[in-house]
């Protein structure tokens, strides 16, 4: 069993790279952001303000979340409903960022995340995987890219999906989320002491995957896996 923690800010390309690596190594890709996004969706649907901490904490008892895997593809199940296709909007991302700053929300999701890594070899993408969720991970990568490079990628993703937005608005959201995620008191998105930095501002997906594999193979023996 191996545990690979892949942390870093929004839009650094963690999910694309983690999916490719999971496939290459035949391990499970865990997208932890989907859990925070699902709580954001639940709160949004109830019309609760994303800054209303007390109310959000009070709702946790009404939330049941799990991750399911089929042919390596993750689905997130919220109270029995597969919400995977509903959580990738800009609005839900802002809700996710807000709820993720609440310690009770993070504590609520801790076991779900650790359980998966107990049962499977994983590459887990998030913000605090190397620091809080899997501090004993064999490999910790902190993936970064300039805000402009990340905004450009997100913008193209949104346009492809037919969401209307401008590059400037995406960049503004990314800078705002970075600030929320890295300055919050609980589990800020900062690198673990033993994490290896991977800056992919000037790398394409293949280049980033190769660099990540290089880092992974410097920490664990991948013979027989690739
Ligand atoms: O990776 P993502 O964009 O799907 O994450 C959505 C939000 O959830 C993001 O603003 C940060 C938060 N998050 C977190 O705090 N911890 C994680 N392990 C994953 C995501």
């Amino acid at each position: 069993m191996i545990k690979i923690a892949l942390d870093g800010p929004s839009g650094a390309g963690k999910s694309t790279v983690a999916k490719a690596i999971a496939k290459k190594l035949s391990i499970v890709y865990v997208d932890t952001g989907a859990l925070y996004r699902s709580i954001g969706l639940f709160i949004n649907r109830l019309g609760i303000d994303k800054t209303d901490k007390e109310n959000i904490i009070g709702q946790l008892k009404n939330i049941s979340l799990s991750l399911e895997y089929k042919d390596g593809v993750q689905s997130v199940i919220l109270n029995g409903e597969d919400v995977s296709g509903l959580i990738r909007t800009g609005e839900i991302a802002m809700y996710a960022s807000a709820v993720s700053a609440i310690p009770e929300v993070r504590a609520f999701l801790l076991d779900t995340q650790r359980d998966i890594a107990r049962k499977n070899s994983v590459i887990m993408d998030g913000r605090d995987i190397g620091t809080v969720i899997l501090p004993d991970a064999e490999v910790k990568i902190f993936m970064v890219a300039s805000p402009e490079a990340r905004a450009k990628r997100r913008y193209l993703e949104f346009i492809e999906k037919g969401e209307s937005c401008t590059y400037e608005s995406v960049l503004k959201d990314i800078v705002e989320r970075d600030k929320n995620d890295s300055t919050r008191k609980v589990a800020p998105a900062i690198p673990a002491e033993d994490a290896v930095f991977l800056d992919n501002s000037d790398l394409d997906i293949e280049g980033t995957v190769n660099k990540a594999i290089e880092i992974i193979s410097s920490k664990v023996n991948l013979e027989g896996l690739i």
Side-chain angles (χ1 to χ4, degrees):
M1 298 269 248
I2 61 169
K3 294 185 279 303
I4 303 171
L6 181 62
D7 291 303
S10 316
K14 299 188 297 292
S15 66
T16 310
V17 169
K19 265 182 217 160
I21 291 172
K23 205 165 175 192
K24 253 191 165 120
L25 305 184
S26 299
I27 60 177
V28 174
Y29 162 53
V30 186
D31 164 17
T32 61
L35 297 168
Y36 293 93
R37 285 171 180 264
S38 300
I39 295 184
L41 175 72
F42 185 85
I43 297 300
N44 173 271
R45 277 176 168 175
L46 289 177
I48 295 174
D49 194 281
K50 59 179 183 297
T51 60
D52 188 348
K53 283 188 190 158
E54 290 309 307
N55 222 338
I56 294 170
I57 293 166
Q59 285 298 332
L60 291 176
K61 61 179 183 309
N62 301 322
I63 299 177
S64 162
L65 271 178
S66 60
L67 295 175
E68 289 182 1
Y69 295 91
K70 205 172 167 201
D71 303 326
V73 179
Q74 172 181 299
S75 297
V76 57
I77 313 295
L78 169 65
N79 294 339
E81 175 191 1
D82 184 346
V83 293
S84 314
L86 303 173
I87 55 174
R88 304 273 155 217
T89 66
E91 188 183 17
I92 297 306
M94 293 313 272
Y95 266 79
S97 179
V99 302
S100 72
I102 303 173
E104 286 81 353
V105 170
R106 306 200 72 86
F108 177 76
L109 293 175
L110 190 75
D111 285 344
T112 308
Q113 298 170 81
R114 282 193 182 152
D115 268 358
I116 298 168
R118 241 193 309 269
K119 294 177 191 144
N120 307 275
S121 281
V122 294
I123 176 160
M124 192 173 276
D125 120 27
R127 303 295 188 289
D128 61 340
I129 309 305
T131 49
V132 178
I133 306 296
L134 305 176
D136 59 341
E138 289 84 355
V139 188
K140 297 179 185 179
I141 299 175
F142 199 80
M143 206 156 107
V144 293
S146 69
E148 290 75 16
R150 289 183 282 135
K152 193 170 153 210
R153 293 175 195 155
R154 268 281 145 97
Y155 170 70
L156 294 174
E157 250 173 59
F158 282 143
I159 294 298
E160 201 168 293
K161 278 197 296 189
E163 257 199 63
S164 71
C165 61
T166 62
Y167 165 78
E168 286 73 26
S169 68
V170 176
L171 177 61
K172 188 171 158 275
D173 278 1
I174 283 200
V175 170
E176 190 181 329
R177 275 217 285 158
D178 276 1
K179 190 162 166 263
N180 283 350
D181 296 346
S182 62
T183 58
R184 66 185 178 210
K185 285 197 191 68
V186 53
I190 51 166
E193 261 176 34
D194 49 348
V196 179
F197 270 82
L198 200 177
D199 185 332
N200 68 18
S201 301
D202 300 317
L203 292 174
D204 60 9
I205 295 171
E206 201 192 335
T208 313
V209 171
N210 288 341
K211 189 85 202 144
I213 293 281
E214 217 175 86
I215 295 170
I216 296 166
S217 49
S218 74
K219 304 274 180 189
V220 292
N221 185 1
L222 294 181
E223 228 169 278
L225 277 175
I226 45 174

